[in-house]
Amino acid sequence: MNNANTALQQADPDIAELVRAEERRQDEVIRLIPSENYVSAAVLEATGTVLTNKYSEGYPGKRYYEGQQFIDPIEQLAINRATGLFGADHANVQPYSGSPANLAVYLAFLRPGETVMGMSLPMGGHLTHGWAVSATGTWFKSVQYGVRRDTGRLDMDQVRDLALAERPKLIFCGGTAIPRTIDFAGFAQVAREIDAVLVADIAHIAGLIAGGAHPSPVGHADVITTTTHKTLRGPRGAMILCTQQHAKAIDKAVFPGLQGGPHNHTTAGIAVALKEAATPEFRTYAHNVVANARALAESLTERGFELVSGGTDNHLILIDLASKNVTGKAAAKALDAAGIETNYNTVPFDPRKPFDPSGLRIGTPSVTTRGMAPEHMAQVAGWMDEVVTALAKGNVDDVTPVVRQQVVALTRAFRPPA
Ligand SMILES: *Cc1c(COP(=O)(O)O)cnc(C)c1O
């Protein structure tokens, strides 16, 4: 996108300039939002192809439109790579994104009014796991588990007690702000006891699982949903993996139950990302993501930051800023001005409101893709401390430009994939 003579530049200079500016921004900031990443140039290229022109409602070999000579093998490659990489019986690669993938699972197994159990949003779950403002919390009866106040960790005994009392037909495990390893075997045991379908939503950790840096839910969960664009480093999209027993129900739920035509350019990008994720380099990447998160957590702890659950096992760190006397939103805004991109987030049992909570959610997928290592995480922690300390003292505007310069210097040495 650096070429000033692209078709986009000529047709729509306004959008072209904004895209270029966003590209520059992604290059010059330290991106710590744990659900984001950088795709490879190959994935990016696949998503910007003529495949976007084609309709292909149905599945490979069973379409409702002609002209699928090349679309069918593309989708089949994506399916085969997904089942191969994760060791699952069946894969559906058509969900438009993580939320529709989860909705399709409800459609496959639940009637309106029946009971779902998931982790509550402010404890680290996702909206689509039955949170009240989501369709999943209004169309279904939802019971929600959380973490223990004393440890900040999930308590499988509490999960079991709630499951036995409420007998949900569907149980979700996984979430968006969980810094610790998920006990898929423990959840499977609870689900079996009450004959519920267990869904592992691995949106955040799919790349870690593919790379062997987090245990896999395969063999424990009946259904696995995931986005493709977080640690997995593919395009915006999602997949549903499941056992053979549920394959038909899942496929029917995605199409024609919930969606129309699949986004074939995205399917191609997913196929490319899955091929990349099967390489030894990706295994190294996944382990480096975790090593960087651990290093960042340790450096932050040394600097007096309080971390929910005391640290991290994966790519994600949840900081409780209460002890630093700043709020999550103010800290996120100041850090952004300094070139460090985070997102404010509730912490478990947060006394503050969701739109200005106590926490900051960060992670290392993006910085690791750029090639940064644990020693750079110590630097990042130092900058975060400088900004947050200045914010508490009231002189943050003096500090952010200085940190910003140092941040840009580091980003120059670790460029995103191009
Ligand atoms: C990101 C995420 C989703 C939703 O994905 P979208 O693509 O934003 O719809 C669902 N579940 C979990 C656990 C997530 O982290």
Side-chain angles (χ1 to χ4, degrees), residues 97-100 102 126 128-129 175-176 201 203-204 227 229-230:
S97 213
S99 304
N102 284 345
H126 191 260
T128 55
H129 297 183
T176 62
D201 181 348
H204 262 258
T227 56
H229 47 270
K230 297 179 184 174

